[in-house]
């Protein structure tokens, strides 16, 4: 079976662990646990005729000023960037984060999960911001680990992208916000 | 004849472990093991100019630490934790080649091997006690291929790292209390009152849902694995203080003493490893 390492990266408390928990176990926990080191989960997905075993490396969140250890990123086949729509700093660090990831893992397929869409009324990230991100070469989806919205799509998009380069999004990137 | 001594670049790991029945229980249901896998050619002296040979000969040193806390009443828990730790030791001894022929590209297979070591204990227990609700055990295992620590965790024993004086728990307790509070089914107060934190949601020999993780270490960091007989009596602050200031052996003795001074109501097992 094909195995692909997917790294989850982003500032602390953006919902990386919750997205994995939703995707793998179909559950959501409102209680926050900070991850120490890396937690690794597995999930098989079917992509066309291929069965892909995704190894989800949920890497501990850092402050915007701290860099993720390169050793965690090495060998990644894909990256899921996670930002919190209610916290602007988690969105603003995406470009520098991508530079760091590329230097460690190369230019592997990636997508931004703009998370916590269930709190859309509190979002501080606008549609213009989303367009800037897409203009900067990011693929993006809005997600909610709480409701499950967009979660399956994000991981499936990555699984597909690891098999087909250059990837074409199966779900069109879009930004929605509550204002 | 010219010779040259080859300096060793292996990071030395100072590790020590101890288990105590505590002050209340007559049976110690905990077990632990500390192992080092060594399969290397040691070139002690040479006049060869091409020392890249050393890199091809050198196998990484693999240190393995495991603690297990059996549950099941009577001697059942003791048997369960013993079987689980023995199965890990046996599996890794058989798979020593797989474990040491390790590189980044084979990391997933390596992790799979480590999981299977714990899973073997699970299957042994299931075969031995075929009834539902038979003896079971926690297992927390760290495999250290410096500087990376691979973690396989089942149940509510714990793993901690100490970095720059700060203690962090890298395992998450797998109890019914934690699980139900996480999904919002009950409050922490209710879980506490109902004793749900004492019921394992995942165990070797029971409902087996191992958690897998990785922690990269730096020089001067410490690792500690323990059963809950320690953490129910000794605060994180006190644990950090002891780990910061003492050698592995001294720290283990101090931590066990602290647990006994705090009441010693449960079996207590502690393994400490410090990178030097």
């Amino acid at each position: 079976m094909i195995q692909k390492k997917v790294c989850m990266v982003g500032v602390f408390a953006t919902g990386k662990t919750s997205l994995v928990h939703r995707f793998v176990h179909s559950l959501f926990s409102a209680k926050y646990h900070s991850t120490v080191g890396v937690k690794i989960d597995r999930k098989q997905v079917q992509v066309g005729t291929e069965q892909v075993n995704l190894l989800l490396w949920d890497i501990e969140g850092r402050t915007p000023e701290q860099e993720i250890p390169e050793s965690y990123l090495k060998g990644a086949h894909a990256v899921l960037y996670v930002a919190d729509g209610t916290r602007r700093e988690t969105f603003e660090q995406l470009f520098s984060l991508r530079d760091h990831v590329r230097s460690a893992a190369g230019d592997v397929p990636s997508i931004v999960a703009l998370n916590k869409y269930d709190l859309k009324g509190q979002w501080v990230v606008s549609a213009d911001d989303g367009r800037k991100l897409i203009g900067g070469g990011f693929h993006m989806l809005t997600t909610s680990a709480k409701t499950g919205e967009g979660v399956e799509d994000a991981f499936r998009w990555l699984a597909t992208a690891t098999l087909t380069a250059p990837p074409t999004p199966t779900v069109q990137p879009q930004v929605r916000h509550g204002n | 004849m010219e010779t040259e001594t080859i300096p060793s670049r292996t990071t030395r790991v100072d590790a020590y472990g101890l288990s105590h029945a505590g002050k209340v229980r007559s049976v110690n249901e905990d077990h632990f093991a500390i192992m080092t896998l060594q399969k290397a050619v040691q070139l002690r002296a040479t006049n060869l100019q091409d020392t890249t040979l050393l890199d091809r000969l050198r196998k990484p040193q693999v240190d393995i630490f495991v603690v297990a806390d059996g549950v099941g009443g009577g001697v059942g828990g003791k048997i369960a934790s013993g079987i689980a730790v023995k199965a890990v030791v046996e599996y890794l001894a058989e798979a020593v080649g797989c474990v040491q022929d390790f590189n980044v590209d084979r990391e997933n297979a390596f992790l799979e091997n480590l999981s299977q070591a714990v899973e073997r204990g699970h299957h042994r227990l299931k075969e031995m006690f075929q009834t539902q609700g038979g003896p079971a055990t926690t297992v927390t295992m760290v495999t250290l291929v410096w500087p990376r620590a691979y973690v396989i965790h089942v149940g509510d024993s714990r793993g901690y790292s100490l970095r720059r004086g700060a203690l962090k728990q890298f395992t998450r307790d797998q109890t019914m209390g934690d699980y139900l509070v996480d999904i919002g089914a009950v409050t922490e107060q209710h879980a506490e009152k109902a004793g749900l934190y004492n019921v394992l949601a995942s165990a070797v020999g029971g409902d087996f849902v191992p958690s897998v993780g990785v922690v990269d270490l730096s020089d001067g960091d410490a690792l500690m694995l323990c059963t809950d007989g320690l953490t129910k009596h000794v605060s994180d602050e006190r644990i950090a203080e002891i780990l910061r200031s003492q050698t592995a052996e001294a720290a283990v003795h101090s931590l066990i003493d602290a647990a006994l001074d705090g009441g010693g109501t449960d079996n207590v097992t502690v393994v400490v490893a410090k990178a030097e």
Side-chain angles (χ1 to χ4, degrees):
Chain A
M1 186 189 303
I2 300 167
Q3 296 204 89
K4 299 291 181 183
K5 174 178 173 179
V6 177
C7 286
M8 312 278 299
V9 297
V11 172
F12 69 93
T14 49
K16 297 179 289 299
T17 302
S18 294
L19 287 170
V20 173
H21 207 52
R22 167 61 69 185
F23 180 56
V24 176
H25 303 292
S26 302
L27 290 171
F28 174 74
S29 167
K31 189 177 175 187
Y32 175 65
H33 298 278
S34 64
T35 301
V36 177
V38 183
K39 190 173 180 309
I40 303 171
D41 277 288
R42 293 162 187 260
K43 174 134 177 173
Q44 288 180 16
V45 293
Q46 188 77 30
V47 179
T49 57
E50 297 283 2
Q51 190 83 353
V52 182
N53 190 23
L54 294 181
L55 302 164
L56 307 169
W57 280 53
D58 173 17
I59 300 173
E60 65 183 12
R62 302 289 174 121
T63 65
E65 296 76 30
Q66 290 175 314
E67 285 194 334
I68 300 164
E70 289 191 3
S71 56
Y72 291 150
L73 298 164
K74 280 182 180 159
H77 297 100
V79 174
L80 183 63
Y81 298 97
V82 185
D84 174 353
T86 69
R87 289 159 60 208
R88 189 155 191 87
E89 75 277 12
T90 69
F91 173 85
E92 287 174 341
Q93 52 79 54
L94 287 169
F95 284 95
S96 61
L97 189 56
R98 182 172 63 175
D99 290 343
H100 179 63
V101 168
R102 280 180 171 172
S103 73
D107 190 11
V108 296
S110 64
I111 194 165
V112 174
L114 205 46
N115 196 30
K116 305 194 185 178
Y117 189 59
D118 50 288
L119 301 174
K120 59 187 176 184
Q122 299 169 38
W123 271 32
V124 293
V125 175
S126 67
D128 269 353
D129 292 323
R131 280 191 281 274
K132 278 179 202 160
L133 212 56
I134 291 167
F138 279 101
H139 297 291
M140 190 177 71
L141 278 174
T142 50
T143 57
S144 167
K146 187 171 186 178
T147 65
E149 184 174 347
V151 177
E152 189 89 12
D153 293 337
F155 285 104
R156 283 193 172 278
W157 187 90
L158 280 175
T160 306
T162 61
L163 298 182
T164 57
T168 304
T170 51
V171 178
Q172 289 300 315
Q174 53 187 306
V175 172
R176 291 161 292 183
H177 64 109
N179 300 325
Chain B
M1 182 177 173
E2 292 177 9
T3 60
E4 187 181 342
T5 301
I6 309 299
S8 169
R9 291 190 299 184
T10 307
T11 299
R12 197 177 108 72
V13 177
D14 173 29
Y16 193 79
L18 203 59
S19 186
H20 194 289
K23 293 164 85 172
V24 175
R25 300 191 179 189
S26 58
V27 177
N28 187 353
E29 298 182 307
D30 292 357
H31 281 94
F32 75 96
I34 298 172
M35 292 168 275
T36 299
L37 302 184
Q38 291 172 322
K39 192 183 82 171
V41 173
Q42 188 184 7
L43 187 59
R44 297 177 63 182
T46 184
N47 65 344
L48 287 169
Q49 295 300 307
D50 180 10
T51 53
T52 57
L53 173 69
L54 287 175
D55 296 327
R56 294 201 301 275
L57 294 176
R58 184 178 288 118
K59 299 280 186 184
Q61 180 174 313
V62 181
D63 293 292
I64 298 163
F65 316 107
V66 54
V67 298
D69 178 357
V71 291
V75 293
K78 182 176 183 174
I79 292 169
S81 64
I83 286 172
V85 171
K86 196 175 163 196
V88 166
V89 173
E90 280 177 5
Y91 185 94
L92 293 174
E94 290 164 18
V96 63
C98 306
V99 173
Q100 291 209 308
D101 287 339
F102 159 81
N103 60 44
V104 170
D105 294 334
R106 296 185 60 194
E107 192 166 41
N108 297 329
F110 178 72
L111 270 166
E112 191 65 36
N113 265 308
L114 298 179
S115 297
Q116 282 173 9
V118 178
E119 203 169 337
R120 177 182 283 192
H122 174 69
H123 291 310
R124 287 243 172 103
L125 283 171
K126 283 292 190 188
E127 283 165 17
M128 193 175 286
F129 304 98
Q130 294 187 351
T131 54
Q132 189 72 21
T137 183
T138 72
V139 168
T140 300
M141 177 173 82
V142 166
T143 304
L144 181 58
V145 187
W146 185 261
R148 179 156 288 183
Y150 297 89
V151 184
I152 311 290
H153 169 69
V154 185
D156 68 349
S157 295
R158 289 181 177 177
Y160 292 85
S161 64
L162 183 85
R163 173 165 298 174
R164 290 189 282 276
L167 189 74
K168 286 186 177 178
Q169 184 183 339
F170 55 75
T171 57
R172 197 171 295 169
D173 296 349
Q174 295 180 324
T175 70
M176 285 309 292
D178 289 279
Y179 174 72
L180 292 173
V181 169
D182 268 2
I183 63 170
V186 299
T187 63
E188 287 183 25
Q189 292 77 9
H190 177 84
E192 187 73 54
K193 198 174 171 186
L196 296 174
Y197 289 115
N198 300 322
V199 182
L200 294 179
S202 168
V204 175
D207 293 326
F208 181 64
V209 189
S211 167
V212 179
V214 160
V215 181
D216 282 353
L217 304 176
S218 300
D219 286 336
D221 286 1
L223 284 173
M224 185 193 75
L225 307 186
C226 65
T227 56
D228 61 352
L230 177 75
T231 47
K232 64 178 62 169
H233 293 305
V234 187
S235 68
D236 283 2
E237 292 72 22
R238 181 69 185 129
I239 291 170
E241 191 183 318
I242 290 169
L243 289 177
R244 273 196 296 266
S245 59
Q246 301 182 19
T247 64
E249 181 174 353
V252 167
H253 283 288
S254 297
L255 289 164
I256 298 263
D257 288 346
L260 297 176
D261 290 345
T265 58
D266 199 352
N267 307 145
V268 54
T269 298
V270 182
V271 169
V272 170
K274 298 185 96 166
E276 297 178 330

